[in-house]
Amino acid sequence: MDASRHVSRSAGQSAIAAAAYRAGAKLFDERTEQLHDYTRRYGVVATGLTMPERGGPGWTREELWNAAEAAERRKDARVARKIEVALPGEMTPEERQELVVTWARAIAERYGVAVDWAIHLPDQEGDKRNHHAHLMVTTREIGPEGFRGKAALELSNADQKKRGLAVGDDGIYALRALLAERLNEVAERHGLELTADPRSYAARGIELAPTKHVGVHAVGMNRRGLEAERVDEHAEARAENARRILERPEVVLETLTRTEAVFTRHDMARALNRYLDDPEQFRDALVKLEASPELERLTEGRAGEPARFSTREMIAAEEKMMEAAAALAASGTHRVTTASAERAEARHPTLSEEQRAAVEHVTAPGRLAVVAGAAGAGKSAALATAREAWEAEGYRVRGAALAGKAAEELQAAAGIESRTLHALEYGWRRGRDPLAARDVLVIDEGGMVGSRQLGRVLEAAQGAGAKVVLVGDARQLQPIEAGAAFRAVAEQVGVVEIGTIRRQREAWAREASQAFARGETGAGLEAYAAHGAVHWLPSREAAKAAIAEAYVAAGMSHPGRMSHPGGVSHPGRTGRPGGGGLILAHTNEDVRDLNALVRTARQRTGALGVESPFATARGERWFAPEDRVVFLRNDRALGVKNGTLGTVAEAAPGALTVRLDSGAEVRVGQGQYAELDHGYAVTLHKAQGTTVERAFVLASGGMDRHLAYVGMTRHREAAGLYAGRDDFPSQAALVRRLSRERAKQSTLDFAERRGVETPKAWLENTWAWLDRGRERLAEAWGRAERVFAAVRGRFTSQARPGPAARAASAARLAPTMEQSRPVTDQGISRTPEAAEAERQQALREAFRSGPEASEAKTQRAHEARLREQFGQRHAAGAEQDPAARQRALRESFSDQTPQSGKTPEELRRAFKDRDNPVPEQNRNRNGNSTNRERGRESGQGRER
């Protein structure tokens, strides 16, 4: 992406001419009185104008840019910012347009500007993958009345700082981050294997040079033999990257293992394809990559399953993490006396047996403990009890989580002072507040932590003599970074699980949450559908409107209820609409639309006060008393985290007083903190760890079982799922999409296949042994199936049943095979083990008695054929006596047997003519076949 250039009058440029050229349009420039006609231009796929949410005048493209030119008086004025971006060649034209439209809308909303966009095809003589888009962004904000002051991106650094905005290159980085966010959303929605990271190669530790987009002007200059600086820079960067990759192919492996610990050959080839254009270089690099000593093969490829790879560095990092985990678990320190534990438990009489077992587990001797618990199982209550026991023994209890919101929830619910893991590591690197021997570090939502980061934390605890308690659920949101650290550590050192759901008030809802936790998404959705909580709408837009209506109605019916994050209801405290409810969606675009719909509905009912403008980092927003607000950046001075929710108490231009859901009150100025937005709806990622009274979940195509599990388990009182028919044509489609599993893999999953023994608790070793036995049994059964299929095919070729018999067989087997499907049309999801058992039962019924039965069926078919050909009176003799069979054959052919005295060749020809009669047109007047036909037949005879 390049967003550093402008349409500048000082360079003799015109916004009208630039817009006409990019859009392939004919526009008249009122300032210069020139007509710019590019309607015959090649390669313009789609164009459009995008205005901010509050709208602008109903201008055409010509009116917009003439007004932009008229708004500027200076001779050196910058009328528009030009943005060029390369689009993924893997996307369809519709997907590329969706990406550009959503990105343009996000820019218009964030900065309050108009965006003119155009999508172009690759140049006819250039790289066929070079789909790209051009955006022209007004340098002034736009409103219903027309242009206003300068947009935030065009302000001086000093003015941007005053407004709390990103400055200079950070502002351009914000555009890249916005593009990456939209690209990832569109790719996930359409099931594309594409991910974007806005960080530079240097920031990610990747030893590659950034390339530059080459515009059409530079291409034209290059073809005319003129020097084009951008072409040279781009070619130099590509050549430098190719040289670095060919010299050290491990650079590509490093990029892959940033997000995935395990990958395939296809992943390697796709990564190489991003940097290398020359086919020979690509093949050479792929060969070197596969021969790299850094690459480790984890599994051999099988039919339908590709081989799996990782790197030595990734394997070493995860093995080092496990070594630290094993050392911590084997330690006998940090003991809590029985008296302290009992006194703490006595102060919490409502704890269940599972929660008490968890408290005993984490307070037992040892410097590493793992607690796994389903969403809403009461992990926080157990941690609050354990904190009191630790503090009674003189330990300092500290908390951490990957997300700021999760850290805030841990502090509110369990009373453990918490920060984000990144903040803790940042302080440790600078020698601030390091871990000590009397520390207990509780890491909440541990399932979201990657292997490298958890390894660093465990090593720090090992060196300091501190204790670590991991709490989480590997079935909820997966780590962004590589590896499945929580699951791997839990499998190796043992885990105590809190499985009983306590969050939901209704028994059926708790059972449904258990189904979601087990991965039985269909069963969970079926329970909600049976209670009228799954709502079908004609489209996703209609589903959003229905959610907004239901949310506002719930707020009006429960005006005074508020739910504290820690689980305490505060009747009588006003200011939280929706009955303590929250709307959850997967994408930021859906969240923005839902927030706008709810605000419009609340304004219509008079629930909001007088609104005032506030310049946020996402553009100008208007807030009123009783508006919901979400904070989007951690700020220790304000006491807010990324994801903190609150309600506006007072609103003035550029200043807000917000009452947080925790009960605290903060005052926010736009020059001090600009990272906030309306908070009626949030993304599912921000919702993990949150508890509300009511949840309204928008289903979308990019969701999977992990996101569905999080969304449908946030509530106490009620939850509703809203789905559009354009995303999910049927309930079966909804279940199938939301049942997809995208669990991260770890190199430790393949450790034993590499001959590496890992320390496991006795129970885990037993389960691993049983799993290996099941795998071997499945392989043996698969071999047996192939043998049966071969035997059946051999006999079937000798006695192939007719169409009627095949139809009867299909009708007999259809009910059995239908039962073997893991997901039925009724939306009930079976476990893989149950599906496999039913499939094997279906096979056993199909081959009721094994090969003997098949042989008996074949023999009966043989008897039937004999009776049909030779008659009942010959069948018995033919079965017993070969001589009788020959006599039967002679009798059956007696009416067509050629006259005696003919040669064997003549007899064979006569039989052949009888079995394969020659068409009349291929016979001569004597009734014999023509020479050409005889030659073809004799050739076939020689082949046989």
Side-chain angles (χ1 to χ4, degrees):
M1 186 201 78
D2 180 13
S4 60
R5 295 183 295 163
H6 290 80
V7 175
S8 175
R9 282 184 187 167
S10 62
Q13 297 171 338
S14 162
I16 306 295
Y21 180 80
R22 284 161 176 76
K26 180 166 65 175
L27 304 178
F28 179 73
D29 190 338
E30 297 174 358
R31 185 173 64 89
T32 62
E33 297 185 349
Q34 287 183 305
L35 180 66
H36 303 280
D37 188 355
Y38 292 98
T39 52
R40 295 184 179 181
R41 189 180 169 201
Y42 163 82
V44 179
V45 176
T47 65
L49 286 178
T50 301
M51 295 289 181
E53 183 180 349
R54 289 188 167 266
W59 285 335
T60 63
R61 178 175 283 108
E62 185 176 82
E63 291 170 337
L64 170 68
W65 293 114
N66 274 304
E69 289 280 2
E72 303 297 340
R73 304 297 183 188
R74 295 169 58 103
K75 292 182 179 180
D76 60 348
R78 294 177 172 180
V79 186
R81 180 181 288 269
K82 297 185 290 186
I83 303 176
E84 298 175 5
V85 59
L87 301 176
E90 297 90 340
M91 286 184 168
T92 65
E94 294 77 16
E95 291 164 354
R96 283 191 284 268
Q97 183 170 340
E98 181 183 352
L99 170 61
V100 173
V101 169
T102 55
W103 187 41
R105 186 183 302 152
I107 294 174
E109 284 302 309
R110 177 166 293 191
Y111 299 103
V113 295
V115 181
D116 185 358
W117 55 268
I119 301 175
H120 291 180
L121 288 173
D123 191 77
Q124 287 176 311
E125 300 179 20
D127 188 341
K128 299 305 180 184
R129 298 168 299 176
N130 188 26
H131 298 270
H132 56 282
H134 296 270
L135 281 69
M136 285 180 59
V137 181
T138 58
T139 54
R140 290 181 177 272
E141 294 180 348
I142 193 170
E145 73 285 356
F147 283 108
R148 304 172 178 169
K150 283 292 184 181
L153 270 175
E154 311 305 325
L155 296 175
S156 66
N157 289 353
D159 289 339
Q160 286 181 333
K161 285 182 179 179
K162 288 179 183 178
R163 296 179 63 173
L165 301 174
V167 177
D169 290 341
D170 291 337
I172 304 299
Y173 175 83
L175 290 176
R176 280 213 319 271
L178 206 58
L179 173 62
E181 187 178 87
R182 295 298 179 267
L183 190 150
N184 292 334
E185 289 177 358
V186 172
E188 188 168 3
R189 186 179 305 135
H190 295 284
L192 302 175
E193 295 182 356
L194 293 174
T195 55
D197 191 330
R199 295 176 298 168
S200 66
Y201 286 150
R204 285 182 278 169
I206 299 174
E207 300 175 10
L208 293 174
T211 57
K212 289 193 175 182
H213 176 69
V214 180
V216 64
H217 299 293
V219 171
M221 291 175 61
N222 188 57
R223 288 179 184 159
R224 293 194 300 271
L226 303 176
E227 292 186 2
E229 182 179 352
R230 296 181 69 82
V231 172
D232 293 340
E233 291 177 352
H234 177 78
E236 289 175 4
R238 300 285 293 185
E240 176 62 19
N241 285 339
R243 185 191 65 78
R244 293 182 184 182
I245 290 172
L246 291 171
E247 185 178 284
R248 199 174 77 84
E250 291 75 16
V251 173
V252 175
L253 300 179
E254 291 169 4
T255 65
L256 286 172
T257 55
R258 294 290 167 183
T259 56
E260 296 293 341
V262 180
F263 49 87
T264 66
R265 187 177 188 272
H266 174 73
D267 297 328
M268 293 190 288
R270 188 177 58 193
L272 278 176
N273 189 55
R274 294 182 57 193
Y275 306 111
L276 300 178
D277 297 322
D278 183 80
E280 291 294 332
Q281 284 187 336
F282 177 86
R283 282 193 292 270
D284 291 345
L286 188 57
V287 169
K288 288 187 177 181
L289 198 60
E290 292 180 319
S292 170
E294 180 64 19
L295 186 68
E296 288 283 343
R297 183 185 291 267
L298 302 178
T299 65
E300 300 293 335
R302 297 179 180 177
E305 182 181 346
R308 304 289 177 178
F309 300 89
S310 188
T311 63
R312 288 188 175 184
E313 182 273 333
M314 190 71 232
I315 292 172
E318 294 201 320
E319 288 180 349
K320 195 173 182 180
M321 174 188 73
M322 292 313 307
E323 290 174 3
L328 290 172
S331 171
T333 63
H334 290 73
R335 179 188 299 273
V336 172
T337 63
T338 303
S340 297
E342 289 178 350
R343 282 195 298 269
E345 291 179 9
R347 287 190 291 270
H348 298 270
T350 59
L351 292 180
S352 67
E353 289 301 319
E354 287 182 327
Q355 289 172 315
R356 292 179 185 277
V359 173
E360 294 175 4
H361 177 71
V362 299
T363 56
R367 289 165 51 201
L368 178 62
V370 183
V371 177
K379 299 185 292 291
S380 298
L383 290 176
T385 307
R387 173 188 59 80
E388 295 179 9
W390 283 319
E391 290 178 347
E393 295 289 327
Y395 296 108
R396 182 176 68 151
V397 185
R398 307 170 64 177
L402 189 67
K405 176 64 174 174
E408 182 183 59
E409 297 288 350
L410 177 62
Q411 183 165 332
I416 300 173
E417 184 179 352
S418 304
R419 298 182 63 187
T420 65
L421 277 174
H422 291 293
L424 284 179
E425 287 195 281
Y426 182 83
W428 295 345
R429 287 194 296 269
R430 282 153 182 76
R432 295 199 299 264
D433 201 17
L435 288 174
R438 298 288 293 175
D439 283 355
V440 176
L441 177 63
V442 179
I443 301 177
D444 198 13
E445 302 298 347
M448 298 177 67
V449 183
S451 294
R452 289 189 181 95
Q453 186 172 32
L454 184 59
R456 292 193 301 268
V457 172
L458 294 182
E459 288 176 34
Q462 185 182 9
K467 177 170 184 167
V468 176
V469 177
L470 280 175
V471 184
D473 186 354
R475 297 162 296 192
Q476 294 190 48
L477 297 183
Q478 299 298 293
I480 297 174
E481 295 185 358
F486 180 85
R487 176 172 58 81
V489 171
E491 288 176 352
Q492 301 298 330
V493 305
V495 59
V496 64
E497 185 168 1
I498 306 176
T500 303
I501 305 295
R502 300 165 63 87
R503 178 179 290 162
Q504 286 76 38
R505 294 193 176 99
E506 300 286 344
W508 70 265
R510 291 194 294 271
E511 293 175 1
S513 295
Q514 293 278 14
F516 281 113
R518 293 191 300 267
E520 298 173 4
T521 306
L525 292 176
E526 188 174 353
Y528 279 91
H531 287 80
V534 176
H535 309 277
W536 291 96
L537 285 305
S539 65
R540 191 191 299 191
E541 297 305 314
K544 294 176 187 176
I547 288 178
E549 181 181 351
Y551 180 91
V552 173
M556 294 170 64
S557 62
H558 301 281
R561 181 179 298 166
M562 174 176 175
S563 176
H564 188 279
V568 182
S569 294
H570 298 275
R573 182 181 292 178
T574 60
R576 187 164 186 177
L582 189 62
I583 302 173
L584 307 174
H586 184 207
T587 69
N588 284 285
E589 183 183 6
D590 288 336
V591 165
R592 181 187 63 81
D593 292 345
L594 287 162
N595 277 323
L597 287 168
V598 172
R599 284 202 83 245
T600 300
R602 299 196 72 216
Q603 285 174 324
R604 190 168 54 246
T605 62
L608 299 180
V610 179
E611 58 183 8
S612 300
F614 191 99
T616 75
R618 295 188 171 189
E620 186 180 64
R621 296 288 189 271
W622 290 71
F623 295 98
E626 303 305 318
D627 248 331
R628 291 290 286 164
V629 177
V630 59
F631 294 83
L632 302 171
R633 177 171 57 83
N634 300 335
D635 191 299
R636 296 187 70 185
L638 279 179
V640 297
K641 300 287 195 304
N642 181 5
T644 297
L645 294 165
T647 303
V648 175
E650 298 176 6
L656 298 174
T657 301
V658 180
R659 184 173 55 250
L660 305 181
D661 287 354
S662 62
E665 194 169 87
V666 297
R667 185 165 179 81
V668 186
Q670 64 184 23
Q672 170 196 12
Y673 186 97
E675 298 284 347
L676 75 166
D677 208 335
H678 297 118
Y680 300 99
V682 300
T683 62
L684 286 160
H685 281 82
K686 280 188 171 57
Q688 179 158 331
T690 301
T691 300
V692 295
E693 291 297 315
R694 290 170 171 262
F696 306 83
V697 184
L698 175 66
S700 57
M703 292 174 62
D704 54 27
R705 60 181 283 188
H706 310 288
L707 290 165
Y709 176 25
V710 170
M712 298 303 292
T713 55
R714 299 301 96 201
H715 64 285
R716 286 197 185 91
E717 182 179 324
L721 184 77
Y722 295 76
R725 294 284 184 184
D726 53 349
D727 286 321
F728 310 99
S730 64
Q731 183 172 337
L734 175 70
V735 172
R736 186 166 54 251
R737 191 73 65 87
L738 267 58
S739 296
R740 294 177 299 174
E741 184 174 10
R742 298 177 180 174
K744 290 255 183 168
Q745 288 185 310
S746 165
T747 63
L748 297 165
D749 296 334
F750 309 92
E752 294 182 4
R753 299 182 185 181
R754 301 197 313 270
V756 178
E757 290 297 332
T758 53
K760 292 186 178 182
W762 178 86
L763 183 59
E764 282 69 32
N765 273 315
T766 302
W767 282 114
W769 180 81
L770 290 174
D771 288 339
R772 288 196 297 273
R774 279 195 293 268
E775 288 180 5
R776 296 190 184 100
L777 184 60
E779 292 175 359
W781 182 256
R783 288 194 296 271
E785 288 177 4
R786 290 192 291 272
V787 172
F788 290 161
V791 172
R792 183 177 61 172
R794 179 179 177 183
F795 284 114
T796 303
S797 64
Q798 299 176 8
R800 185 176 301 277
R806 288 197 297 271
S809 177
R812 179 176 58 82
L813 289 176
T816 303
M817 300 309 291
E818 183 67 25
Q819 293 175 1
S820 68
R821 296 179 181 176
V823 180
T824 69
D825 292 338
Q826 288 74 28
I828 301 175
S829 176
R830 294 182 173 86
T831 61
E833 292 81 6
E836 178 64 18
E838 292 178 359
R839 186 179 70 84
Q840 294 178 6
Q841 178 63 25
L843 287 169
R844 282 193 290 270
E845 292 182 6
F847 306 99
R848 176 68 64 181
S849 302
E852 296 80 7
S854 299
E855 292 173 2
K857 292 178 183 177
T858 305
Q859 184 65 23
R860 286 194 296 272
H862 179 59
E863 293 174 8
R865 188 168 65 255
L866 286 173
R867 293 188 185 97
E868 181 181 353
Q869 291 181 356
F870 311 129
Q872 180 68 35
R873 63 191 179 86
H874 297 293
E879 293 172 22
Q880 302 295 331
D881 185 7
R885 183 174 179 274
Q886 293 177 4
R887 287 194 301 272
L889 284 170
R890 283 195 295 272
E891 290 178 13
S892 65
F893 293 121
S894 59
D895 58 337
Q896 302 182 33
T897 302
Q899 297 296 324
S900 59
K902 291 188 177 182
T903 66
E905 179 62 27
E906 290 172 334
L907 287 172
R908 282 195 294 270
R909 187 173 299 168
F911 280 123
K912 181 176 292 185
D913 290 342
R914 188 206 62 185
D915 295 332
N916 301 295
V918 179
E920 290 298 325
Q921 61 269 27
N922 291 336
R923 293 184 177 274
N924 55 26
R925 285 178 297 179
N926 297 325
N928 298 322
S929 58
T930 61
N931 292 335
R932 183 177 60 183
E933 190 65 30
R934 283 199 303 270
R936 184 179 302 159
E937 291 175 1
S938 63
Q940 291 174 346
R942 283 195 299 272
E943 281 185 41
R944 286 196 292 269

